[in-house]
Amino acid sequence: MQPLSNTETYSLGAISFVCLAILISSLRNNGEPLFDSLAISGLAFAFSYCIIRWSGDTFLKRGFKGRDMSKKQPIEIPEFMGVLPALVYLLALTAFVPFVFKSDIVEMTSGAGNKDDLLEAQQNETVRFLHLFPLEKLAPYGFAGFTLAAAILLGIMDDTFDLRWRHKFFIPAFASLPLLALYGIKYGETHVMVPAPLRGYLGERTELGMLYYVYMAALSIFCPNCINILAGINGIEVGQSLVIACLIVLNDALYLSPTVQQPHPAAESHLLSIYLLLPLIGVSLALLQHNWFPAKVFVGDTYCYFAGMVFAVVAILGHFSKTLLLVFIPQIFNFVYSAPQLFALVPCPRHRLPRFNARTGLLEPSVATFSDERPLRPIVGEVLKILHKLKLVRVAVDETTGRVTESSNLTILNLWLVWRGPLREDRLALEILAMQTACGLAGLWVRHSLALMLFAVDNRF
Amino acid sequence: MQPLSNTETYSLGAISFVCLAILISSLRNNGEPLFDSLAISGLAFAFSYCIIRWSGDTFLKRGFKGRDMSKKQPIEIPEFMGVLPALVYLLALTAFVPFVFKSDIVEMTSGAGNKDDLLEAQQNETVRFLHLFPLEKLAPYGFAGFTLAAAILLGIMDDTFDLRWRHKFFIPAFASLPLLALYGIKYGETHVMVPAPLRGYLGERTELGMLYYVYMAALSIFCPNCINILAGINGIEVGQSLVIACLIVLNDALYLSPTVQQPHPAAESHLLSIYLLLPLIGVSLALLQHNWFPAKVFVGDTYCYFAGMVFAVVAILGHFSKTLLLVFIPQIFNFVYSAPQLFALVPCPRHRLPRFNARTGLLEPSVATFSDERPLRPIVGEVLKILHKLKLVRVAVDETTGRVTESSNLTILNLWLVWRGPLREDRLALEILAMQTACGLAGLWVRHSLALMLFAVDNRF
């Protein structure tokens, strides 16, 4: 068991002490659930940090280990460690229940209850009212926990049994079933708003029916897998999840800020989203501390499934799946860019992570080589040459035959290295995360500006 | 991958076909949820049966294997296979949601809604009304799923990492937290009825407050661990879970039978209990087929946690934890009987399962031997001698010193062998299960008869 350093012990102790104090005072004085959520996330951070450190040896002993090939001395480090923060997350989710649910308030948008009482209560304590949940929200909360626990379960099965790619791809869809069942029973809304230019043809809203469930299942498949394939360097899986989580929280905050007229109809959904994301940020920060360059632990597929599923859950429950896709732009690009290799149009080596140059200590684009045994179709070669001219890939061409003999692997990490030249591993991760943050902020800005044009109204106002 | 035999393929195909037909017709005509639950349990049986058969080799390859020491040729068979039926159970729980929840009915016991409409609806379709759930029941259902998924998760961690006894003992308490949180928020009832003879002193009901939560957590620790320690011969973990599940379903049925005046206030809780237990019976039957003598697979701790937690969940949500204990009599006896060894009053060997006599092919009581290195305190020796005379243990005494040199291990399985003489493994399992059924039936009979005396009224009427 690796002990904590003194500094770590004191810092984590101080964080835990402050968070506990907030929670205890909140239980006594009916405090603000938003602060409680922050406090629980702080505790989740401290607990995850310790338990990851303490459990590394146990994981190594049980055979959960991997070799970090992008280091001069590739030593074996624990693999599959993301399961611990995921379990702590479930604990945090549970611990938060008594702080946020109260049986004596009714749902804002509910038709039941005495409207006059409701309005009065709203005027009296608009803010408090907003940040607490009525009992009707218990069901979505419970099913969210069910879904996330199922996602972690299936992630563990994947990490333990090394499932085949075509199986693991669909795993998140199974995990999302409880949420879809809840959605069908409790909400059942399957329409989408139609953008203004198309309203002449389709009406203001269009009914998708069963297609909407297929769409939600696809979203649950998409989020975890996208995070899972943008991987291969220290800290990138956790880092990108953190960036996405922060961007969604930022978007949620827009609906809850005091400048927006309250009670806003979408406020509760976005509040639930914040409550689900803050503990994710807490446990992910702890994991990132251990997984950042030079990594002491690997996170495993379980973490990717779990984090991706949290995003799918908040988007489905909060009805903002289109906004979600805006903060996934680099992942979507990476998926589309990878598709030729994933679907075997371009031969795909077993690993596509950037190549470590032991002489310089820097990462360089890794390449797929094409030979007579692994041929490249001529038409694909021509397309690659064009992409090369557009600087979207780097290929090597046999000068005598004019045929493409190798190409950089089609991942955003390799592409970034093609653009920027060799980089150290942490530098590459930082730049990718910065790019992701910029894309996400731009996406959100466009969403709230363009919404006015496309839908005639931004639902934030 | 082990294929199914032709007979198996046809039987499972036929079962699945009938069950699917029931479900499809039910979706079209708003069928009876009780039949749907049976149909889904049938499908869960068929699916578990196939997936256990197909996955054995994968588990062996990944190192989940154990040697069955009670056989003439102890071969290695897959261990930890109970995780598969547990996952199928979660799937079944999810698939059932659209069949049982309807948004257009209100809760029987709810104060909201128009009472006249409610009564009319009740008169019109008493039976249908009873077997469907209103949306308010979604939250308990979701949190039940959350809790069970968490129990399976922690069971997997145990099976994977071989946790220490003092850690694994408390695992179920963590898994039960979501349910306790829900209970606190949604019900919050922490009183118990006081038996009539004590009412003069304590009043009709007594408030337990926080103690009630400790009691529920203890119940969640107790049920899984009880099943886990009554183990060691083929089929006994699954068999006893099946017997318990059937006994609880029988008790539930008493509250739902047409002879009881409907709507009965406890009917909904018992209906939920049936809906949670039927799929458990389905997946357990499939597991038992593979785990019964001679076992093709071992079930692992995961199954015990999972099955035990299902019982704790239904009892907590259904407020019948005292009744639950009546169907756990053999397990309670086994726990109390084992306690001297569990708490090291009597030296405890690493394994306490009955000893296999390779010459006769029968099981005999296994013994703990006491030597100078593993001494027995004299007073404990005297108690063991008394128990020996009461035929509650079999000891061997050194004739010269008069000291106890060995004693049969303190489990109900060994005790049964002391009473009945050597038995074949399947015979022993059958007799224990028969005894358990008899005890459970007697317990339930006493409960519904004595209730009249102790509480002045049996809540069934």
Side-chain angles (χ1 to χ4, degrees):
Chain A
M1 198 165 94
Q2 302 268 336
L4 297 171
S5 74
N6 276 350
T7 327
E8 286 171 330
T9 309
Y10 293 134
S11 332
L12 294 175
I15 292 174
S16 308
F17 180 79
V18 172
C19 293
L20 272 177
I22 293 175
L23 291 178
I24 290 170
S25 109
S26 178
L27 275 183
R28 285 194 179 164
N29 317 317
N30 255 336
E32 168 67 65
L34 210 47
F35 294 151
D36 301 335
S37 180
L38 278 169
I40 284 177
S41 307
L43 284 174
F45 166 80
F47 187 42
S48 301
Y49 192 99
C50 301
I51 203 171
I52 292 171
R53 174 68 59 82
W54 292 335
S55 311
D57 291 347
T58 313
F59 277 65
L60 280 177
K61 261 184 226 144
R62 189 59 186 79
F64 293 105
K65 54 193 173 186
R67 215 173 270 283
D68 190 345
M69 299 312 290
S70 307
K71 301 288 177 296
K72 291 202 174 173
Q73 269 103 33
I75 53 162
E76 279 189 335
I77 58 176
E79 167 66 282
F80 176 51
M81 295 295 283
V83 69
L84 295 176
L87 290 177
V88 173
Y89 177 89
L90 292 184
L91 201 58
L93 213 59
T94 304
F96 187 50
V97 170
F99 293 96
V100 68
F101 287 98
K102 301 285 163 188
S103 52
D104 52 352
I105 63 169
V106 287
E107 193 156 28
M108 268 197 311
T109 53
S110 151
N114 186 321
K115 282 280 179 196
D116 293 340
D117 289 357
L118 193 64
L119 284 175
E120 198 179 321
Q122 282 171 16
Q123 282 149 8
N124 285 348
E125 39 177 355
T126 307
V127 179
R128 283 283 317 287
F129 192 84
L130 252 177
H131 295 175
L132 283 170
F133 282 152
L135 289 194
E136 281 91 66
K137 271 265 184 281
L138 262 176
Y141 199 88
F143 274 83
F146 187 178
T147 294
L148 294 174
I152 299 170
L153 259 178
L154 294 175
I156 293 178
M157 297 309 278
D158 176 17
D159 270 328
T160 312
F161 290 105
D162 270 332
L163 299 185
R164 266 170 255 164
W165 195 79
R166 65 171 182 274
H167 291 154
K168 64 202 283 181
F169 186 78
F170 291 102
I171 275 186
F174 279 97
S176 72
L177 287 178
L179 199 72
L180 300 195
L182 169 92
Y183 190 91
I185 295 299
K186 192 164 169 80
Y187 305 105
E189 281 171 25
T190 54
H191 64 262
V192 288
M193 301 298 288
V194 175
L198 297 176
R199 284 194 185 163
Y201 312 101
L202 296 170
E204 194 174 330
R205 39 172 65 188
T206 186
E207 190 60 44
L208 291 183
M210 278 309 290
L211 268 184
Y212 195 78
Y213 292 90
V214 175
Y215 167 67
M216 288 190 289
L219 198 71
S220 322
I221 293 177
F222 169 81
C223 294
N225 280 303
C226 264
I227 293 176
N228 212 356
I229 65 170
L230 178 39
I233 63 172
N234 291 172
I236 197 73
E237 295 97 335
V238 189
Q240 65 179 313
S241 304
L242 268 172
V243 169
I244 294 170
C246 293
L247 287 168
I248 306 179
V249 167
L250 173 70
N251 182 56
D252 292 331
L254 293 179
Y255 292 83
L256 297 165
S257 79
T259 61
V260 177
Q261 201 199 329
Q262 296 296 354
H264 185 286
E268 256 188 12
S269 310
H270 286 283
L271 195 59
L272 179 61
S273 163
I274 287 187
Y275 290 154
L276 291 175
L277 289 171
L278 287 181
L280 176 66
I281 293 177
V283 300
S284 297
L285 276 176
L287 186 57
L288 188 63
Q289 297 272 333
H290 296 86
N291 183 235
W292 189 253
F293 176 90
K296 307 273 183 311
V297 306
F298 286 134
V299 300
D301 288 347
T302 306
Y303 176 82
C304 302
Y305 284 127
F306 152 66
M309 194 55 91
V310 175
F311 302 136
V313 165
V314 298
I316 289 172
L317 286 179
H319 301 268
F320 57 81
S321 53
K322 294 195 296 295
T323 308
L324 182 74
L325 296 181
L326 291 175
V327 299
F328 263 95
I329 290 171
Q331 282 78 13
I332 297 173
F333 175 85
N334 186 51
F335 181 76
V336 173
Y337 185 63
S338 295
Q341 284 195 316
L342 295 183
F343 299 114
L345 275 177
V346 175
C348 182
R350 181 148 169 68
H351 292 292
R352 304 190 300 159
L353 62 165
R355 197 174 69 82
F356 177 67
N357 184 330
R359 200 174 45 77
T360 60
L362 302 179
L363 293 181
E364 299 170 358
S366 65
V367 294
T369 50
F370 314 121
S371 54
D372 290 342
E373 296 93 61
R374 305 175 74 192
L376 189 69
R377 263 183 282 174
I379 175 78
V380 178
E382 293 310 310
V383 174
L384 283 180
K385 281 184 195 168
I386 297 172
L387 289 177
H388 178 78
K389 282 188 186 139
L390 296 171
K391 289 202 185 285
L392 280 172
V393 71
R394 183 189 286 164
V395 301
V397 178
D398 185 319
E399 286 187 9
T400 51
T401 61
R403 281 166 64 184
V404 173
T405 56
E406 66 172 41
S407 143
S408 60
N409 277 312
L410 302 174
T411 74
I412 201 172
L413 296 177
N414 287 311
L415 180 60
W416 196 262
L417 290 170
V418 166
W419 287 344
R420 299 268 298 115
L423 292 174
R424 211 173 76 153
E425 195 170 0
D426 52 345
R427 176 83 202 199
L428 174 61
L430 262 185
E431 291 190 7
I432 292 284
L433 295 181
M435 179 272 292
Q436 190 198 352
T437 312
C439 285
L441 288 174
L444 290 182
W445 180 77
V446 167
R447 182 244 174 279
H448 289 287
S449 319
L450 272 194
L452 286 171
M453 282 149 63
L454 283 180
F455 294 100
V457 59
D458 181 10
N459 70 351
R460 192 164 71 81
F461 303 107
Chain B
M1 199 166 93
Q2 302 268 338
L4 297 171
S5 72
N6 276 351
T7 327
E8 287 171 331
T9 309
Y10 293 133
S11 331
L12 295 173
I15 293 173
S16 309
F17 180 79
V18 171
C19 293
L20 272 178
I22 293 175
L23 291 177
I24 291 170
S25 110
S26 178
L27 275 183
R28 286 197 179 162
N29 317 318
N30 255 336
E32 168 67 65
L34 210 47
F35 293 151
D36 301 336
S37 180
L38 278 170
I40 284 178
S41 306
L43 285 174
F45 167 79
F47 188 42
S48 301
Y49 193 99
C50 301
I51 203 170
I52 293 172
R53 174 69 58 82
W54 292 335
S55 310
D57 292 347
T58 314
F59 277 65
L60 280 177
K61 261 185 227 144
R62 189 61 186 80
F64 293 105
K65 54 191 172 188
R67 215 173 270 282
D68 191 344
M69 298 313 290
S70 307
K71 300 289 177 295
K72 291 204 174 172
Q73 268 103 34
I75 52 163
E76 279 189 335
I77 59 175
E79 168 65 282
F80 175 52
M81 294 295 284
V83 69
L84 296 175
L87 291 177
V88 173
Y89 177 89
L90 292 183
L91 200 58
L93 214 57
T94 304
F96 187 51
V97 169
F99 292 96
V100 67
F101 288 99
K102 301 285 161 183
S103 52
D104 52 353
I105 62 169
V106 287
E107 194 156 27
M108 268 197 310
T109 53
S110 153
N114 188 321
K115 284 278 179 195
D116 293 340
D117 289 358
L118 193 64
L119 283 176
E120 197 180 321
Q122 281 171 16
Q123 283 150 7
N124 284 349
E125 38 175 356
T126 307
V127 180
R128 281 282 317 289
F129 192 85
L130 252 178
H131 295 175
L132 282 170
F133 282 153
L135 289 194
E136 282 92 66
K137 269 263 185 284
L138 261 176
Y141 199 87
F143 274 83
F146 188 178
T147 294
L148 293 174
I152 300 170
L153 259 177
L154 295 174
I156 293 179
M157 297 309 278
D158 176 17
D159 270 328
T160 312
F161 290 105
D162 270 331
L163 298 186
R164 267 170 255 165
W165 195 78
R166 64 171 184 274
H167 290 154
K168 64 202 284 180
F169 186 78
F170 292 101
I171 275 187
F174 279 96
S176 73
L177 288 178
L179 199 71
L180 300 194
L182 168 93
Y183 190 91
I185 295 299
K186 193 165 168 79
Y187 306 106
E189 281 170 25
T190 55
H191 65 261
V192 286
M193 301 299 288
V194 175
L198 298 176
R199 283 194 186 163
Y201 312 101
L202 295 170
E204 194 173 329
R205 38 172 65 188
T206 187
E207 189 60 43
L208 291 183
M210 277 309 289
L211 270 184
Y212 196 78
Y213 292 91
V214 176
Y215 167 65
M216 289 191 288
L219 197 71
S220 322
I221 293 177
F222 169 80
C223 293
N225 279 304
C226 264
I227 294 175
N228 212 357
I229 65 170
L230 177 39
I233 61 173
N234 292 172
I236 197 73
E237 297 97 334
V238 190
Q240 65 179 313
S241 306
L242 268 171
V243 170
I244 294 169
C246 292
L247 287 168
I248 307 179
V249 167
L250 172 70
N251 182 55
D252 292 331
L254 293 179
Y255 292 83
L256 297 165
S257 80
T259 61
V260 176
Q261 204 203 322
Q262 297 296 353
H264 185 287
E268 256 188 12
S269 309
H270 286 283
L271 195 59
L272 179 61
S273 163
I274 287 188
Y275 290 155
L276 291 175
L277 289 171
L278 288 182
L280 175 68
I281 293 176
V283 300
S284 297
L285 276 176
L287 186 57
L288 189 63
Q289 297 274 332
H290 296 86
N291 183 235
W292 189 254
F293 176 88
K296 307 275 183 312
V297 307
F298 286 135
V299 301
D301 288 347
T302 306
Y303 176 81
C304 302
Y305 284 128
F306 151 67
M309 194 55 91
V310 175
F311 302 136
V313 165
V314 298
I316 290 173
L317 286 179
H319 303 267
F320 58 81
S321 53
K322 294 195 296 297
T323 308
L324 181 75
L325 295 182
L326 291 176
V327 300
F328 264 95
I329 291 173
Q331 283 77 15
I332 297 173
F333 175 85
N334 187 52
F335 180 76
V336 174
Y337 186 63
S338 295
Q341 284 196 315
L342 295 183
F343 299 114
L345 275 178
V346 175
C348 182
R350 180 146 171 70
H351 291 292
R352 305 190 300 158
L353 63 165
R355 197 174 69 83
F356 176 68
N357 184 330
R359 199 174 46 78
T360 60
L362 302 179
L363 293 183
E364 299 169 358
S366 66
V367 294
T369 51
F370 315 119
S371 54
D372 290 341
E373 295 93 61
R374 306 175 74 191
L376 188 67
R377 266 183 279 176
I379 174 79
V380 178
E382 294 310 310
V383 173
L384 282 180
K385 280 185 198 166
I386 297 172
L387 289 177
H388 177 79
K389 282 186 189 141
L390 297 170
K391 288 202 186 286
L392 280 172
V393 71
R394 181 190 290 164
V395 300
V397 179
D398 186 319
E399 289 185 8
T400 52
T401 61
R403 281 167 64 183
V404 173
T405 55
E406 67 172 40
S407 143
S408 60
N409 278 311
L410 302 174
T411 73
I412 200 172
L413 296 177
N414 287 311
L415 180 60
W416 196 262
L417 290 171
V418 166
W419 288 343
R420 299 269 298 115
L423 292 174
R424 210 173 77 153
E425 193 169 2
D426 52 344
R427 176 82 201 202
L428 174 61
L430 262 185
E431 291 190 6
I432 292 284
L433 296 181
M435 178 271 293
Q436 190 197 353
T437 311
C439 286
L441 288 175
L444 289 182
W445 180 78
V446 167
R447 182 240 175 281
H448 288 289
S449 318
L450 272 194
L452 286 171
M453 283 149 61
L454 282 180
F455 295 102
V457 58
D458 181 10
N459 70 352
R460 192 163 72 80
F461 302 107

